[in-house]
Coordinates of all heavy atoms in Angstrom, one line a residue:
E1 N 229.2 9.6 176.7 CA 228.9 11.0 177.3 C 229.9 12.0 176.5 O 229.4 13.0 176.2 CB 229.2 11.0 178.7 CG 228.1 10.3 179.5 CD 228.4 10.2 181.1 OE1 229.5 10.8 181.5 OE2 227.7 9.6 181.9
E2 N 231.1 11.6 176.4 CA 232.1 12.6 175.8 C 231.8 12.8 174.3 O 232.0 13.9 173.8 CB 233.5 11.9 175.9 CG 234.1 11.9 177.2 CD 234.6 13.3 177.7 OE1 234.8 14.2 176.8 OE2 234.6 13.6 179.0
T3 N 231.3 11.8 173.6 CA 231.1 11.9 172.1 C 229.6 12.2 171.8 O 229.4 12.6 170.6 CB 231.5 10.6 171.4 OG1 230.7 9.5 172.0 CG2 233.0 10.4 171.6
G4 N 228.8 12.1 172.7 CA 227.3 12.4 172.4 C 226.6 11.3 171.7 O 225.6 11.6 170.9
V5 N 227.2 10.1 171.7 CA 226.5 9.0 171.0 C 226.0 8.0 172.1 O 226.2 8.1 173.2 CB 227.5 8.2 170.1 CG1 228.0 9.2 169.0 CG2 228.7 7.6 170.8
S6 N 225.3 7.0 171.6 CA 224.7 6.0 172.5 C 225.7 5.0 173.0 O 226.8 4.8 172.3 CB 223.5 5.2 171.8 OG 224.0 4.4 170.8
V7 N 225.4 4.3 174.0 CA 226.4 3.3 174.5 C 226.4 2.1 173.5 O 227.5 1.5 173.3 CB 225.9 2.8 175.9 CG1 226.6 1.5 176.3 CG2 225.9 3.8 177.0
I8 N 225.3 1.9 172.8 CA 225.2 0.8 171.8 C 226.2 1.2 170.7 O 227.0 0.3 170.2 CB 223.9 0.6 171.3 CG1 222.9 0.0 172.3 CG2 223.9 -0.3 170.0 CD1 221.5 -0.2 171.9
T9 N 226.2 2.4 170.3 CA 227.3 2.8 169.3 C 228.7 2.6 169.8 O 229.5 2.1 169.0 CB 227.1 4.3 168.9 OG1 225.7 4.5 168.4 CG2 228.1 4.8 167.9
V10 N 228.9 2.9 171.0 CA 230.3 2.7 171.5 C 230.6 1.2 171.6 O 231.7 0.8 171.2 CB 230.4 3.3 173.0 CG1 231.8 3.0 173.6 CG2 230.2 4.9 172.9
E11 N 229.6 0.4 171.9 CA 229.8 -1.1 172.0 C 230.2 -1.6 170.6 O 231.1 -2.4 170.5 CB 228.6 -1.8 172.4 CG 228.3 -1.6 173.9 CD 227.0 -2.3 174.4 OE1 226.3 -2.7 173.5 OE2 226.8 -2.3 175.6
H12 N 229.6 -1.1 169.5 CA 229.9 -1.5 168.2 C 231.4 -1.2 167.9 O 232.1 -2.0 167.3 CB 229.0 -0.8 167.2 CG 227.6 -1.3 167.2 ND1 227.4 -2.6 167.4 CD2 226.4 -0.8 166.9 CE1 226.0 -2.9 167.2 NE2 225.4 -1.7 167.0
A13 N 231.8 0.0 168.3 CA 233.2 0.5 168.0 C 234.1 -0.4 168.8 O 235.2 -0.8 168.3 CB 233.3 1.9 168.3
M14 N 233.8 -0.7 170.1 CA 234.7 -1.5 170.8 C 234.8 -3.0 170.4 O 235.9 -3.6 170.4 CB 234.2 -1.6 172.3 CG 234.2 -0.2 173.1 SD 235.9 0.2 173.2 CE 235.8 1.6 174.4
T15 N 233.6 -3.5 169.9 CA 233.7 -4.8 169.2 C 234.7 -4.8 168.1 O 235.4 -5.9 167.9 CB 232.3 -5.2 168.8 OG1 231.4 -5.2 169.9 CG2 232.3 -6.6 168.1
L16 N 234.6 -3.8 167.2 CA 235.6 -3.9 166.1 C 237.0 -3.7 166.6 O 237.8 -4.5 166.0 CB 235.3 -2.6 165.3 CG 234.2 -2.7 164.1 CD1 234.2 -1.4 163.3 CD2 234.7 -3.8 163.2
L17 N 237.3 -3.0 167.6 CA 238.6 -2.9 168.1 C 239.2 -4.2 168.6 O 240.3 -4.6 168.4 CB 238.7 -1.8 169.2 CG 238.6 -0.4 168.9 CD1 238.5 0.5 170.2 CD2 239.8 0.1 168.1
C18 N 238.3 -5.0 169.3 CA 238.6 -6.3 169.8 C 238.8 -7.3 168.6 O 239.8 -8.1 168.6 CB 237.6 -6.8 170.8 SG 237.6 -5.9 172.3
E19 N 237.9 -7.2 167.7 CA 238.0 -8.1 166.5 C 239.3 -8.0 165.7 O 239.9 -8.9 165.2 CB 236.8 -8.0 165.6 CG 235.5 -8.5 166.1 CD 234.4 -8.3 165.1 OE1 234.6 -7.6 164.1 OE2 233.2 -8.8 165.4
E20 N 239.7 -6.7 165.6 CA 240.9 -6.4 164.8 C 242.2 -6.5 165.6 O 243.3 -6.3 165.1 CB 240.8 -5.0 164.2 CG 239.5 -4.7 163.3 CD 239.3 -5.9 162.4 OE1 240.2 -6.3 161.8 OE2 238.1 -6.3 162.3
G21 N 242.1 -6.8 166.8 CA 243.3 -7.1 167.6 C 244.0 -5.9 168.3 O 245.0 -6.0 168.8
Y22 N 243.3 -4.8 168.2 CA 243.8 -3.6 168.9 C 243.6 -3.7 170.4 O 244.5 -3.2 171.2 CB 243.1 -2.3 168.4 CG 243.4 -1.9 167.0 CD1 242.6 -2.2 165.9 CD2 244.7 -1.3 166.7 CE1 242.9 -1.8 164.6 CE2 245.0 -0.9 165.4 CZ 244.1 -1.2 164.3 OH 244.4 -0.8 163.0
T23 N 242.5 -4.2 170.8 CA 242.2 -4.3 172.3 C 241.7 -5.7 172.6 O 241.4 -6.5 171.7 CB 241.1 -3.3 172.7 OG1 239.9 -3.6 171.8 CG2 241.5 -1.9 172.4
E24 N 241.5 -6.0 173.9 CA 240.8 -7.2 174.3 C 240.0 -6.9 175.6 O 240.3 -6.0 176.3 CB 241.8 -8.3 174.7 CG 242.7 -8.0 175.9 CD 243.6 -9.3 176.3 OE1 243.7 -10.1 175.3 OE2 244.2 -9.2 177.4
S25 N 238.9 -7.5 175.6 CA 238.0 -7.4 176.8 C 238.3 -8.3 177.9 O 238.5 -9.5 177.7 CB 236.6 -7.6 176.3 OG 235.6 -7.4 177.4
R26 N 238.5 -7.7 179.1 CA 238.8 -8.5 180.3 C 237.6 -8.5 181.3 O 237.2 -7.4 181.6 CB 240.1 -8.0 181.0 CG 241.3 -8.1 180.1 CD 242.5 -7.6 180.7 NE 243.6 -7.6 179.7 CZ 244.7 -7.0 179.9 NH1 245.0 -6.4 181.0 NH2 245.8 -7.0 179.0
Q27 N 237.1 -9.6 181.6 CA 235.9 -9.7 182.4 C 236.0 -8.9 183.7 O 237.0 -9.0 184.4 CB 235.6 -11.2 182.7 CG 234.2 -11.4 183.3 CD 233.8 -12.8 183.4 OE1 234.7 -13.7 183.3 NE2 232.5 -13.1 183.6
R28 N 235.0 -8.0 183.9 CA 235.0 -7.2 185.1 C 236.1 -6.2 185.3 O 236.3 -5.5 186.3 CB 234.9 -8.0 186.4 CG 233.7 -9.0 186.4 CD 233.6 -9.7 187.7 NE 232.4 -10.6 187.7 CZ 232.2 -11.5 188.6 NH1 233.1 -11.7 189.7 NH2 231.1 -12.3 188.6
S29 N 236.9 -6.0 184.2 CA 238.1 -5.1 184.3 C 238.0 -4.0 183.3 O 238.4 -2.9 183.5 CB 239.4 -5.8 184.1 OG 239.5 -6.7 185.2

């Protein structure tokens, strides 16, 4: 909503962040 892009686009960016070790996904959190 803030950037005006699709949720899928955000998911791609988030996947990259996790792959590169900047972030990690925690189930239901």
